[in-house]
């Protein structure tokens, strides 16, 4: 990845471009490089793209929950002196974006969610995590995508390393349980922030009816589908993802 990771204060993040800030929130097993397409596409169009590294494995276990990550995000926004941010989150990142928007609505100009938890997700599946079983982990990683080839050896190795690290497993399970417990169905109808929902038609982690429900519950949302696509549209179909988001931002005047 060409983008350089910046370490400043207690934050590690990528920052590309100048202009309206888009903050990208990665998922539980998602590396910062998953959004390479977005960091390439939007800076030339007048956006500053920031991807903070979420401290998923660094928080005390009791603080490893969605709410603490939403607070972490707010501190990062303050630290960078940003306002009127556009939040873009995939999977757990979408959930953090939703909760942050609920807690600090005045900070967020727009929200983009893709494969987001917050209503339902079956990410842990059955028998997770099976440590030491590489083929099982490989199959789990492949199941996230419509095209299994997107789960490169690098991605599978990263997940395998995570589930074989006791510290990481404990925190992974803590945040996953927190995400399932923290259902936002009652909050969404009160959230007036313009929201763009981009979803894979073949998402097996957060199935399509979850996207429909987000669309139904959020007062000011637009829903877009990506065909032949699983849980991570920005990885499987980066160009289409960027086109959808680009057109939505333009239409909304962001």
């Amino acid at each position: 990845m060409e983008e350089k990771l910046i370490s400043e204060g207690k934050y590690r993040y990528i920052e590309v471009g100048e202009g309206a800030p888009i903050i990208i929130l990665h998922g539980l097993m998602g590396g910062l490089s998953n959004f390479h397409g977005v960091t390439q596409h939007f800076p030339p169009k007048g956006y500053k793209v920031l991807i903070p590294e979420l401290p998923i494995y660094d928080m005390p276990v009791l603080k490893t929950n969605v709410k603490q990550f939403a607070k972490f995000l707010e501190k990062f926004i303050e630290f960078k002196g940003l306002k009127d941010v556009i939040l873009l989150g995939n999977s757990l990142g979408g959930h953090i974006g939703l909760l942050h928007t609920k807690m600090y609505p005045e900070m967020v100009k727009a929200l983009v969610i893709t494969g987001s938890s917050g209503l339902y997700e079956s990410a842990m599946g059955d028998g997770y995590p099976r440590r030491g079983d590489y083929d099982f982990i490989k199959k789990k990683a492949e199941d996230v995508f419509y095209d299994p080839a997107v789960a490169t050896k690098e991605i599978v190795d990263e997940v395998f390393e995570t589930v074989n690290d006791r510290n990481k497993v404990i925190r992974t399970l803590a945040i996953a349980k927190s995400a399932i417990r923290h259902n936002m169905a009652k909050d969404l109808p009160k959230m007036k922030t313009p929201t763009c929902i981009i979803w894979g038609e073949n998402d097996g982690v957060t199935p399509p009816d979850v996207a429909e429900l987000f669309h139904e519950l959020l007062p000011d949302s637009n829903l877009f589908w990506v065909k032949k696509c699983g849980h991570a549209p920005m990885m499987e179909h980066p160009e289409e993802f960027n086109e959808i988001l680009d057109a939505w931002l333009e239409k909304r005047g962001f």
Side-chain angles (χ1 to χ4, degrees), residues 10 54-73 167 170-171:
K10 62 175 181 180
L54 298 171
I56 288 172
Y57 306 123
D58 305 329
M59 295 263 210
V61 175
L62 291 174
K63 286 194 166 183
T64 304
N65 58 54
V66 182
K67 191 171 186 179
Q68 291 300 325
F69 292 128
K71 288 180 174 176
F72 170 86
L73 171 59
N167 167 47
I170 289 167
R171 281 164 177 76

Side-chain angles (χ1 to χ4, degrees), residues 23-24 28-29 34 41 52 86 154 167-169 178-179 192 202 211 215 217 221:
I23 299 180
I24 296 177
L28 186 54
M29 295 286 185
N34 294 5
H41 181 88
I86 298 162
E154 189 185 7
N167 167 47
K168 288 186 176 179
V169 167
S178 156
K192 306 283 197 294
N202 311 91
H215 184 38
L217 292 172
S221 63

Side-chain angles (χ1 to χ4, degrees), residues 111 113 194-198 215 218-224 244 248 251-252:
L111 181 61
I113 57 173
T195 305
C196 178
I197 304 166
I198 306 175
H215 184 38
L218 284 161
D220 185 7
S221 63
N222 301 101
L223 172 57
F224 303 93
I244 291 169
W248 185 80
K251 191 176 179 191
R252 291 295 193 123

Side-chain angles (χ1 to χ4, degrees), residues 76-147:
F76 175 72
I77 291 170
E78 278 174 25
F79 175 77
K80 291 296 295 175
L82 303 171
K83 56 181 192 297
D84 292 335
V85 301
I86 298 162
L87 297 180
L88 191 180
N90 171 239
S91 199
L92 171 70
H95 197 162
I96 293 165
L98 283 158
L99 184 57
H100 178 278
T101 303
K102 181 206 159 192
M103 291 163 68
Y104 311 98
E106 69 289 347
M107 302 301 289
V108 183
K109 181 163 67 175
L111 181 61
V112 185
I113 57 173
T114 174
S116 178
S117 58
L119 288 175
Y120 164 87
E121 47 113 34
S122 64
M124 291 302 123
D126 44 349
Y128 176 92
R130 213 139 100 199
R131 294 165 74 181
D133 186 341
Y134 189 85
D135 288 337
F136 175 79
I137 297 300
K138 183 170 186 281
K139 175 78 175 71
K140 277 286 185 201
E142 288 173 350
D143 286 350
V144 169
F145 306 104
Y146 176 80
D147 175 4

Side-chain angles (χ1 to χ4, degrees), residues 15 19 21 32 36 43 46 48 65 74 86 93 105-106 129 141 153 171 188 195 200 205 211 214 225:
E15 181 177 328
L32 307 195
H36 185 60
K48 183 202 290 272
N65 58 54
E74 180 54 23
I86 298 162
E106 69 289 347
K153 185 175 186 303
R171 281 164 177 76
L188 300 178
T195 305
V205 180
F214 270 120
W225 296 105

